[in-house]
Amino acid sequence: MDLPEYSYWIIAGLAFVIAEFAVSGLVVIFFGIAALLVGSLKFLGLLDDTTWELTIFAATSLLLLVFVRRVLNDKLMGNERPRGEGEADSAGLVGGRATVAEAFAKGTGTVNYRGARWQAQCAQPLQPGDMVRITHHDGLWLTVEPWIPGPQTPPAE
């Protein structure tokens, strides 16, 4: 069985895309996309010369690796960085209402928030059952203040 020339590019492209799942470095997939592009252009009759096929494959692969990989890598793999001033709380805790679980001694105690127990700090004495507003989140620690009903915004840090 003799396959048309474009099918080799399509098969190679699909193999590269599938291989990305095994390698998982966000590199091989770009070779696959470039091969699929060349196979498609060959199928449409826009490419007839092997030199142009290889040139377009190499150029497309390189451009995708250089320009697209960085953006996708940050979005798909996660890009941890410290929060800058004025950025929102990534966990969505600031502004939430929690309940004091244990009395605050020397400015520290524990609160319950969404079914989890957190270490917290507050300048004011608090007793179990008191409602508090979360004003700051830093790792495993929360900073809280007594809950005052009504629309409030968390203080600027």
Side-chain angles (χ1 to χ4, degrees), residues 100-137:
V100 176
E102 295 177 12
F104 278 55
K106 298 181 184 174
T108 62
T110 59
V111 297
N112 287 326
Y113 181 70
R114 292 186 182 167
R117 189 166 282 208
W118 291 80
Q119 293 291 324
Q121 56 190 7
C122 182
Q124 301 170 5
L126 298 170
Q127 298 301 320
D130 289 350
M131 300 301 284
V132 294
R133 179 183 314 277
I134 300 169
T135 58
H136 182 71
H137 169 223

Side-chain angles (χ1 to χ4, degrees), residues 15-111:
F16 280 131
V17 170
I18 292 170
E20 177 63 37
F21 292 105
V23 176
S24 180
L26 212 58
V27 173
V28 180
I29 193 167
F30 297 118
F31 293 114
I33 292 170
L36 289 170
L37 175 71
V38 171
S40 300
L41 292 174
K42 184 103 173 132
F43 173 74
L44 295 172
L46 300 174
L47 287 177
D48 287 331
D49 187 20
T50 305
T51 305
W52 277 107
E53 292 173 22
L54 293 174
T55 302
I56 291 175
F57 172 74
T60 305
S61 298
L62 184 65
L63 289 172
L64 287 171
L65 277 170
V66 170
F67 295 109
V68 178
R69 183 176 187 267
R70 182 177 301 133
V71 174
L72 285 181
N73 197 30
D74 288 348
K75 291 196 185 303
L76 297 177
M77 304 298 188
N79 186 15
E80 288 191 27
R81 57 184 173 82
R83 286 194 316 266
E85 205 160 313
E87 284 189 41
D89 176 28
S90 64
L93 300 174
V94 174
R97 184 171 57 178
T99 307
V100 176
E102 295 177 12
F104 278 55
K106 298 181 184 174
T108 62
T110 59
V111 297

